[in-house]
Amino acid sequence: MRTFEMADFGGVFLTSPPVDAGDAVWPGINAYVQWFIPVNPRPVSILFVHGGGGQGADFVRTPDGRRGWVHRFLQAGYATYVLDRPGHGRSAWNENVLGPATPAAEYGTLYPRFVEPGKHDLWQGASKHSRWPSDPLAGDRFMASQGPMATSLGASQRHVEAIAEQLLDLTGPTVVVSHSMGGPCGWALSAVGGLRVAAVLAAEPLGYSGMVHPLGIFNNGLAPEAYQGFHDPFAKPVAIVTGEATWMRDANRRAAEYVRARAPVFEHIVLEEHGITGNGHMLMAESNSDEIADLMIRWLDANVSCGLAQARA
């Protein structure tokens, strides 16, 4: 096992101005970000943006207790920042500020899509799913991580945009690594960040242009709403990563067509084409998560200037 020496780790709440809601004043839109910084980091960091009702912990450890993507990118020399989007993880949901939330998802909703796709066979290719961890508690731990989320995709986008400047000031030049419903938030961060976002790695991102979703329509390309940032979110290297047994395959193919026409460097990384098979939607949680992270790191090495700081001295 490769080891690394830490220079710093910690976390902070990113905050917006307080909100006066009638007879009370509430903390504004806020998010928690945790960081892990190795000695002699690369000059570009990694920013993990979780999906759906999840949280940043999705990237720290897998449901069966293995080291997560955070560790893999640290071993490769990257400072890593792990976001709990507003209202998720360590950022509590406050309807007075964030608006209404969905109920937390129950087993009958999430197990067929995340944990047991092969058993339920709800889409073409679901039977190929073989990478959910064998630990019998992995499914329960995954469910324990899932909470409420905004009742509209547009609200989720606006929540992240509200803390985007503070977040990017903290990360410095960064690569956004998003997952699922964090995908639209990742494009929004790229639109705010401009050159501060060196690349975007979107793992199974939700949405394609014109997609109709129960929580909103993708009216702005790969996002539901017009961006509050003024930069082209695709004017940098971009990769979309898709598993073999996920329901996201067609949506990711359409998203890839959209990005390919706009990004200067683009690759749709279809995992089985790289010998990585059997994956469902939770790429960072499944039994071959290290292989997937290593493939992403190799893509960055080939396409983005992320050299080690010590190599530049």
Side-chain angles (χ1 to χ4, degrees), residues 47 49 70 105 115 138 163 166 213 235 251 255 264 269 272 275 295 301:
L47 169 60
V49 182
V70 163
V115 180
I163 52 86
Q166 289 183 58
H213 185 274
I269 301 174
E272 71 268 22
L295 178 60
D301 287 343

Side-chain angles (χ1 to χ4, degrees), residues 46 73 78 175 199 201 296-304 306:
I46 299 292
F73 280 83
Y78 288 97
V175 174
L201 274 166
M296 296 164 73
I297 291 165
R298 289 196 299 272
W299 185 86
L300 288 174
D301 287 343
N303 293 285
V304 182
C306 298

Side-chain angles (χ1 to χ4, degrees), residues 95 110 124 148 152 180-181 195 227 240 281:
E95 289 197 358
L110 295 190
Q124 185 177 1
S152 78
S180 193
M181 287 180 68
L195 293 176
Y227 300 117
I240 290 174
H281 184 52

Side-chain angles (χ1 to χ4, degrees), residues 184-202:
C185 297
W187 310 126
L189 286 168
S190 183
V192 171
L195 293 176
R196 289 178 290 174
V197 175
V200 178
L201 274 166

Side-chain angles (χ1 to χ4, degrees):
M1 180 182 296
R2 289 177 292 174
T3 61
F4 50 87
E5 184 179 356
M6 296 291 292
D8 188 29
F9 67 92
V12 70
F13 279 96
L14 310 173
T15 60
S16 299
V19 173
D20 188 346
D23 59 351
V25 179
W26 302 96
I29 295 174
N30 63 80
Y32 189 83
V33 62
Q34 187 173 21
W35 59 81
F36 304 87
I37 301 176
V39 171
N40 296 320
R42 297 181 188 238
V44 174
S45 69
I46 299 292
L47 169 60
F48 290 108
V49 182
H50 67 82
Q55 53 188 290
D58 296 341
F59 298 102
V60 179
R61 284 274 174 179
T62 64
D64 58 340
R66 291 173 293 112
R67 292 182 172 189
W69 281 3
V70 163
H71 295 267
R72 212 64 179 177
F73 280 83
L74 277 170
Q75 288 173 336
Y78 288 97
T80 64
Y81 294 82
V82 184
L83 179 68
D84 285 338
R85 293 192 286 114
H88 298 264
R90 281 171 281 194
S91 175
W93 196 279
N94 184 342
E95 289 197 358
N96 296 286
V97 177
L98 299 177
T102 67
E106 42 78 42
Y107 277 66
T109 300
L110 295 190
Y111 252 58
R113 286 186 172 270
F114 293 84
V115 180
E116 301 174 334
K119 176 180 177 180
H120 298 272
D121 203 22
L122 297 179
W123 58 87
Q124 185 177 1
S127 62
K128 297 178 181 178
H129 185 251
S130 61
R131 296 296 188 171
W132 189 258
S134 60
D135 185 333
L137 292 179
D140 295 331
R141 292 176 183 139
F142 164 70
M143 291 301 301
S145 73
Q146 299 300 298
M149 56 188 175
T151 56
S152 78
L153 295 172
S156 293
Q157 178 183 334
R158 293 292 182 244
H159 295 161
V160 166
E161 287 171 329
I163 52 86
E165 286 289 354
Q166 289 183 58
L167 177 61
L168 294 168
D169 284 346
L170 185 63
T171 64
T174 196
V175 174
V176 175
V177 178
S178 64
H179 176 248
S180 193
M181 287 180 68
C185 297
W187 310 126
L189 286 168
S190 183
V192 171
L195 293 176
R196 289 178 290 174
V197 175
V200 178
L201 274 166
E204 300 252 328
L206 177 69
Y208 55 84
S209 184
M211 177 182 176
V212 178
H213 185 274
L215 298 183
I217 300 173
F218 282 76
N219 289 314
N220 179 37
L222 302 189
E225 303 287 345
Y227 300 117
Q228 293 192 341
F230 300 105
H231 302 281
D232 179 354
F234 308 108
K236 60 205 62 186
V238 176
I240 290 174
V241 185
T242 305
E244 182 183 34
T246 175
W247 76 89
M248 285 280 198
R249 288 178 70 88
D250 182 63
N252 280 186
R253 177 187 60 77
R254 297 184 188 212
E257 291 175 355
Y258 184 89
V259 180
R260 186 174 286 110
R262 291 163 173 80
V265 175
F266 175 73
E267 183 175 355
H268 185 191
I269 301 174
V270 180
L271 290 181
E272 71 268 22
E273 295 177 0
H274 297 266
I276 300 175
T277 59
N279 286 103
H281 184 52
M282 287 294 288
L283 302 180
M284 74 290 292
E286 298 200 309
S287 61
N288 57 350
S289 57
D290 281 353
E291 290 181 67
I292 299 170
D294 289 348
L295 178 60
M296 296 164 73
I297 291 165
R298 289 196 299 272
W299 185 86
L300 288 174
D301 287 343
N303 293 285
V304 182
S305 178
C306 298
L308 290 169
Q310 59 193 9
R312 301 174 67 206

